[in-house]
Amino acid sequence: MLVALAQSNERGQVCYQELVDLISSKRSSSFKRAIANGQRALPQDGLLDEPGLGVYKRFVRYVAYEILPREVDRHWYFYRHRSCPPPVFMASVTLAQIIVFLCYGARLNKWVLQTYHPEYMKSPLVYHPGHRARAWRFLTYMFMHVGLEQLGFNALLQLMIGVPLEMVHGLLRISLLYLAGVLAGSLTVSITDMRAPVVGGSGGVYALCSAHLANVVMNWAGMRCPYKLLRMVLALVCMSSEVGRAVWLRFSPPLPASGPQPSFMAHLAGAVVGVSMGLTILRSYEARLRDQCGWWVVLLAYGTFLLFAIFWNIFAYDLLGAHIPPPP
């Protein structure tokens, strides 16, 4: 890397700050460009040729090829990766969702279509339009699920996609993306489907999945994950099937219910957040988000949406005379 830096300079020299950045594992945009331009000085063999790796290092190599589109970034991540701190956010969220589901399942003695139980919707975690003033519900609904099948689908995607993304991009960025998708999901439902409640973490899950899929498409030639076309088709089919099932439960519930069933709009809102905010985050590996012009544009758009949704929830329901079902 020192040779690559020197060859990228007209005088064949490395300045003091570049040396400090290299030793302290910091990469500015100019440093990254120098490494990319002098890539011939880096090891030419890929990480897949690395012999004698243990189980954990093999998993780190798999994550590098699964998430990052450039070989120089894969090398950088592989050799500087540390197991501490571990990817605790996605694992903790998934564990909390499972515990909450098990508690309500044992209490209600119901494991499928729990929202059809009248006591289930009385939970202080569920978002209900009649309880809009309880602002925490716009986030805590992510711990509640329609049934075992929705929980299993979300938990599987959070562990298979969320954990590798958190290992590469860090807890702060991935938690921001996930929670932004969850919040956008409930706020979108409050605007577009004003009578419906919301349960499930699909807003955050779809934000992660759509961001990852968009990153793969944008860097198709550089991605080295195996069977990427087949896996993308399967992911799109599964995600579309889940949205279709949510639409069916919303408008044609299989059982009589006391009120409207949870909305499907949170899925779509999460996908929009993933393609916009998430793609900006994933394309800025090892670069400061505040230095990215696109990041400020996306952040401004998301902030404008939040302000609009807040005013909508305060004034629109009364002005439009929306008939909200009585909260349980």
Side-chain angles (χ1 to χ4, degrees):
M1 289 187 177
L2 280 171
V3 174
L5 280 173
Q7 291 177 343
S8 67
N9 190 294
E10 294 180 356
R11 300 182 179 179
Q13 298 175 346
V14 177
C15 74
Y16 176 73
Q17 188 58 49
E18 288 175 333
L19 180 63
V20 171
D21 289 342
L22 177 61
I23 296 175
S24 60
S25 298
K26 294 180 180 179
R27 295 200 294 175
S28 62
S29 58
S30 59
F31 183 88
K32 293 174 67 176
R33 285 196 299 270
I35 290 296
N37 293 335
Q39 203 168 4
R40 59 187 178 276
L42 295 174
Q44 295 300 313
D45 54 334
L47 292 179
L48 292 177
D49 301 324
E50 193 83 14
L53 297 179
V55 176
Y56 182 74
K57 292 300 289 185
R58 288 178 180 272
F59 178 67
V60 173
R61 182 177 63 182
Y62 161 79
V63 170
Y65 275 91
E66 188 74 18
I67 304 299
L68 297 171
R70 300 172 63 235
E71 192 67 33
V72 63
D73 287 334
R74 297 185 192 116
H75 275 86
W76 186 271
Y77 169 74
F78 179 81
Y79 289 115
R80 70 180 290 269
H81 173 76
R82 299 292 182 269
S83 58
C84 186
V88 295
F89 175 75
M90 292 311 310
S92 300
V93 168
T94 304
L95 180 61
Q97 291 171 340
I98 293 174
I99 292 175
V100 171
F101 179 83
L102 293 177
C103 291
Y104 276 93
R107 175 185 170 188
L108 305 176
N109 193 25
K110 191 174 181 65
W111 304 95
V112 179
L113 297 179
Q114 290 185 340
T115 53
Y116 288 82
H117 197 291
E119 294 296 321
Y120 182 82
M121 299 304 291
K122 293 182 179 180
S123 170
L125 302 178
V126 174
Y127 167 79
H128 190 280
H131 292 310
R132 299 187 313 281
R134 303 174 184 178
W136 69 84
R137 290 176 178 256
F138 285 93
L139 282 174
T140 56
Y141 78 91
M142 70 180 184
F143 296 109
M144 310 293 289
H145 287 82
V146 172
L148 184 61
E149 63 284 354
Q150 187 191 27
L151 173 67
F153 180 80
N154 287 349
L156 182 64
L157 289 180
Q158 286 174 179
L159 295 178
M160 290 184 60
I161 297 179
V163 170
L165 286 176
E166 186 179 349
M167 289 178 62
V168 174
H169 296 283
L171 182 148
L172 184 60
R173 293 189 179 193
I174 298 305
S175 61
L176 174 63
L177 175 59
Y178 185 86
L179 295 177
V182 170
L183 184 58
S186 56
L187 290 175
T188 301
V189 170
S190 70
I191 296 173
T192 60
D193 199 357
M194 300 168 66
R195 290 173 47 85
V198 191
V199 296
S202 297
V205 171
Y206 274 63
L208 296 176
C209 293
S210 60
H212 178 58
L213 293 179
N215 187 50
V216 172
V217 171
M218 293 290 292
N219 302 279
W220 187 263
M223 300 301 295
R224 292 292 181 266
C225 47
Y227 309 108
K228 55 185 176 182
L229 180 59
L230 176 62
R231 292 166 60 185
M232 174 166 289
V233 171
L234 290 177
L236 291 175
V237 169
C238 292
M239 293 170 66
S240 301
S241 301
E242 175 65 15
V243 173
R245 177 181 175 277
V247 173
W248 173 63
L249 290 177
R250 173 67 180 89
F251 295 110
S252 301
L255 299 173
S258 57
Q261 288 302 294
S263 176
F264 60 91
M265 291 301 297
H267 300 69
L268 305 181
V272 173
V273 169
V275 172
S276 56
M277 180 182 295
L279 187 58
T280 305
I281 290 176
L282 300 192
R283 293 178 66 183
S284 302
Y285 172 67
E286 284 292 308
R288 297 177 180 177
L289 285 175
R290 63 173 178 265
D291 296 335
Q292 309 294 318
C293 180
W295 168 249
W296 293 107
V297 174
V298 170
L299 202 60
L300 178 62
Y302 189 80
T304 303
F305 165 74
L306 290 183
L307 288 176
F308 173 79
I310 291 173
F311 281 101
W312 179 277
N313 279 274
I314 294 174
F315 301 109
Y317 280 77
D318 294 332
L319 293 176
L320 297 177
H323 298 287
I324 302 174

